[in-house]
Amino acid sequence: MKGRTAGRSPSSSTSSSSYLFSVAALCWPLSCSVPGASLSVGFCSSLYVPLYFALFCYSFPPSLDGFLSWDLADSFGVVSEGARENYNTNAPPCSSMSNGTICCDRSGFRSDVCIMKGDVRTHSPSSSVFLYRSKQPSWFVDFISSVHRAAEGHNDDELQHEKIRPYTRKWENIIMDKIDELDLIVKKDTMGAHHQCDVRHDVPALLFSTGGYTGNLYHEFNDGILPLYITSQHFKKEVVFVILAYHNWWIMKYENILSGLSNYPPIDFGGDKRTHCFPEAIVGLKIHDELIVNPSLMKGNKSILDFRHFLDRAYQPRIKGSIPDKEQGVQLKLNQSASVPTLGQWMKINKDDHKHQGKKPKLVIISRSGSRALVNEGCLVKMAEEMGFRVEVLRPDRTTELAKMYRLLNESEVIFGVHGAALTHFLFLKPGSVLIQIIPLGIESAAETCFGKPARELGFKYIGYKILPRESSLYNKYDKGDPVLTNPKSVTKKGWQYTKEIYLDGQNVSLDMRRFHKRLLQAYDYSFTKINGQISYNQTTKLFKLC
C-alpha cells in the first residue's frame, strides 16, 4: 500500500503503553500551558485510534519534511530504515520543502535566510510577508501545528510565524538593530480574501536590505553585492529584487550589476504600498566570507573568479565607446607637475641606456584624505614615474560612477592604496594584476581578511607593505616604548573601539621611500614583463633618485 512503512522492525515501533504516554505528552502541556484550555483525558483518548493508524501504519508524508525532525519522527516509531537511508543528511537546509511552508536556515554566523513557497503576498504597511496555505500538508501536521501555536499563545489564524532582519551582519547587534525586521507569516487561505493582489509576478522574489553599512564601498560589495550574486545568480535573471531601506542613489550606482542579475526593476518594499504576489520568496542573502565565494557552497562550483567575470559582462557593454575621454564625475588628479622637495640622492639611472623600452605599465593610486592619508603621496608619484610607470591618482567618493572606475582600473596593471574601503575597487582590475596594500599599524588582521586573501583568490599578485612605527603619525604622538607602537595587538585586543579610534581614525602614513622602493620595483618588473613579454630594464639596473 502506497505510503505504508515497509518491514517495520520491533525496534522502530512503539508499544501501546508508550504510545499512550506519547499522546498524553501532547495533550498535557496544552491543558496546562494554554490559558483557558482544559482537555479531558477522554478528549485525548479520542485521538488514539486515528493517531495510531497514522503513526504506526504509515510513514510521515513528504510534507512533514522540515516540519518534524527525524529524531521526533523516530520517537513515534514511524521512520523506516529505507526512509532514513534516502534522507540526505548533507543536503543544504531548506533544500526540500512543501508549498505553503516557511523554512528558515539560521545556522549561519553571518546571516539568516528564509524561504517561502506558495501564495506569497507582501504587506509593507505592517512590514510583513504573508503566505496563504490553500491546503494543509496533512491533518496530522495541522494537528501538531495547532498544538504548537496554541502552546506559544499565537493567533489561531497564523499557522507559522518567523521574524528576520535580512542583512548580512547578523553578529553585530548594534548594526542589526537598525535593520528593519520582517514578519513572515503563514495563514489559512480563507484569510487571503481580505488581502488581494495588486501586482502578480510569475518569478520568485528576493528580499534584502541595503541599510547597515551602505555608503561604505567595501561593505556595499562585501555585505550586499557579492551576497546578492551568491544568492541570485542561479535564477538566471528570472527573479525580482524587493529592497528594504531602498536608496535611489544605490540603485543608480549599481544599475549595471542589478540588471545583470535580474530582468525586472527592483521594488521599494517600504515605498511601494501595493500588494505584490509571488510564487516563492527568498528573504535574506547568503554570504560565505569576506569578499569570497566558496565553490563548495555554489551550484556549478562557481568561485570569486566567476563573480569577476560577471563584472566584466555587466560593465563591458557600458564602457565600449559610451564614456568620453574626459572622466566627468571622477575626482582624478594627475600629479605629473607636482612640486616635490629634494631629500637626498638616490641611485642614478644611466640615461644613455634605452630606458623604459616597451609599453609602460599603469599604476593607479587610490588617494585618501582624512585618516590613513599618505602624507608623502607626491614623492611616491615622482618615484613611480621615474621608475617607468604611467601614474594616475584617483580620489573616488560615494557618488563616483562605477562604470568609469571600472574602465580606468580595467586598463591598469597595478593598484596602490592605504588600507581602506576605496581599495575595494581592486575588483575591477584584470586577473593577474598587482594589488599593493599599505598596512598601517594595528590593522594587519583586517588588511589580510579584507583584501589580502581575496586578492590571492582572484589570482592577483598581492604585495602587503606593513609600515614601521616611524612611518606612522602615531610615532610622534606616543612614547617610543608605548604598546600602541611596540605591541599593537595588545591594544586591539581591548576592543573594536580602541582599534577604530587609535589605528583606523587616528593615524596617517609617511612611507620610507628607500624601504618601499623595493616593493614598488617588484610590482613594476612583474607588470612590465606581463604586458611586454620581456624583462624590464629596471630588473637589472640600479635606480634611483630620492625626492
Side-chain angles (χ1 to χ4, degrees), residues 31-46:
S31 62
C32 294
S33 62
V34 179
S38 178
L39 298 180
S40 65
V41 175
F43 173 78
C44 289
S45 299
S46 68

Side-chain angles (χ1 to χ4, degrees), residues 228-471:
L228 183 61
Y229 170 81
I230 290 170
T231 310
S232 68
Q233 54 83 30
H234 70 281
F235 286 110
K236 301 184 185 303
K237 301 178 70 172
E238 290 302 304
V239 61
V240 176
F241 298 146
V242 182
I243 303 176
L244 287 72
Y246 186 101
H247 304 285
N248 285 321
W249 67 263
W250 188 90
I251 299 296
M252 293 178 63
K253 182 174 183 176
Y254 292 104
E255 60 179 339
N256 298 102
I257 290 176
L258 296 176
S259 62
L261 291 173
S262 173
N263 287 323
Y264 308 92
I267 295 171
D268 178 358
F269 180 81
D272 189 342
K273 303 301 181 184
R274 296 176 297 174
T275 296
H276 290 265
C277 298
F278 302 91
E280 180 180 350
I282 300 91
V283 187
L285 300 177
K286 301 174 184 176
I287 181 171
H288 295 164
D289 207 337
E290 302 292 318
L291 287 185
I292 290 295
V293 177
N294 186 340
S296 67
L297 301 176
M298 297 288 288
K299 290 183 179 179
N301 296 318
K302 292 186 180 297
S303 69
I304 189 66
L305 280 173
D306 292 287
F307 174 71
R308 178 60 187 78
H309 297 326
F310 163 74
L311 292 179
D312 283 336
R313 295 193 299 273
Y315 286 110
Q316 284 288 355
R318 168 72 197 283
I319 68 172
K320 286 184 177 178
S322 64
I323 300 179
D325 291 335
K326 186 177 180 180
E327 299 294 336
Q328 298 177 355
V330 177
Q331 297 183 37
L332 176 63
K333 181 180 179 182
L334 297 177
N335 287 313
Q336 296 179 349
S337 60
S339 176
V340 182
T342 299
L343 301 179
Q345 292 298 320
W346 291 64
M347 304 176 198
K348 186 178 181 182
I349 298 175
N350 185 350
K351 295 182 180 180
D352 293 332
D353 290 326
H354 299 288
K355 186 175 76 170
H356 310 318
Q357 289 183 345
K359 182 181 178 182
K360 292 183 178 183
K362 182 177 178 180
L363 167 67
V364 171
I365 297 174
I366 301 296
S367 182
R368 293 183 60 88
S369 58
S371 64
R372 281 165 284 142
L374 182 59
V375 176
N376 53 347
E377 185 178 278
C379 185
L380 171 65
V381 172
K382 186 70 173 179
M383 185 176 75
E385 289 175 340
E386 286 291 328
M387 192 173 288
F389 279 111
R390 293 177 293 130
V391 181
E392 292 192 12
V393 180
L394 301 182
R395 295 187 178 92
D397 58 25
R398 198 181 75 173
T399 63
T400 299
E401 189 176 350
L402 289 183
K404 295 175 180 177
M405 290 296 294
Y406 174 89
R407 181 190 183 192
L408 290 168
L409 288 164
N410 200 244
E411 297 171 348
S412 305
E413 283 71 46
V414 183
I415 186 172
F416 166 100
V418 180
H419 175 82
L423 207 55
T424 309
H425 288 106
F426 86 93
L427 291 170
F428 293 159
L429 288 170
K430 296 183 292 290
S433 301
V434 181
L435 167 61
I436 303 175
Q437 178 179 202
I438 304 303
I439 307 172
L441 296 181
I443 310 179
E444 290 184 18
S445 178
E448 170 61 21
T449 300
C450 296
F451 300 113
K453 182 179 177 182
R456 287 189 290 268
E457 290 285 337
L458 275 166
F460 290 173
K461 181 175 181 60
Y462 172 68
I463 299 175
Y465 179 84
K466 300 176 184 178
I467 71 169
L468 298 176
R470 67 173 183 270
E471 294 175 277

Side-chain angles (χ1 to χ4, degrees), residues 60 109 115 145 169 186 196 215 272 348 387 391 407 422 440 451 463 505 523:
F60 279 107
F109 173 73
I115 300 176
S145 178
R169 308 291 290 188
V186 179
Q196 295 296 318
D272 189 342
K348 186 178 181 182
M387 192 173 288
V391 181
R407 181 190 183 192
F451 300 113
I463 299 175
D505 297 342

Side-chain angles (χ1 to χ4, degrees), residues 168-236:
T168 57
R169 308 291 290 188
K170 177 180 171 181
W171 74 96
E172 287 194 59
N173 293 333
I174 294 177
I175 291 298
M176 293 303 289
D177 286 344
K178 300 176 182 178
I179 303 298
D180 294 334
E181 185 175 61
L182 285 176
D183 288 288
L184 313 181
I185 302 171
V186 179
K187 285 194 170 186
K188 298 176 182 178
D189 63 333
T190 54
M191 304 301 296
H194 306 290
H195 187 195
Q196 295 296 318
C197 298
D198 295 317
V199 185
R200 288 187 178 273
H201 306 266
D202 58 5
V203 298
L206 176 55
L207 291 87
F208 60 96
S209 175
T210 54
Y213 287 117
T214 297
N216 175 293
L217 185 71
Y218 176 82
H219 288 288
E220 286 173 10
F221 269 91
N222 183 70
D223 303 342
I225 295 300
L226 192 55
L228 183 61
Y229 170 81
I230 290 170
T231 310
S232 68
Q233 54 83 30
H234 70 281
F235 286 110
K236 301 184 185 303

Side-chain angles (χ1 to χ4, degrees), residues 84-139:
R84 180 173 286 282
E85 289 174 1
N86 291 329
Y87 178 68
N88 182 5
T89 58
N90 294 320
C94 303
S95 60
S96 176
M97 57 183 294
S98 300
N99 274 357
T101 58
I102 301 174
C103 178
C104 291
D105 177 11
R106 302 187 187 276
S107 62
F109 173 73
R110 297 173 178 267
S111 69
D112 293 332
V113 178
C114 292
I115 300 176
M116 310 172 76
K117 281 194 175 182
D119 184 3
V120 179
R121 308 183 192 186
T122 63
H123 190 256
S124 62
S126 64
S127 296
S128 301
V129 182
F130 291 98
L131 174 59
Y132 293 97
R133 181 182 292 171
S134 59
K135 183 180 180 181
Q136 297 296 331
S138 76
W139 68 268

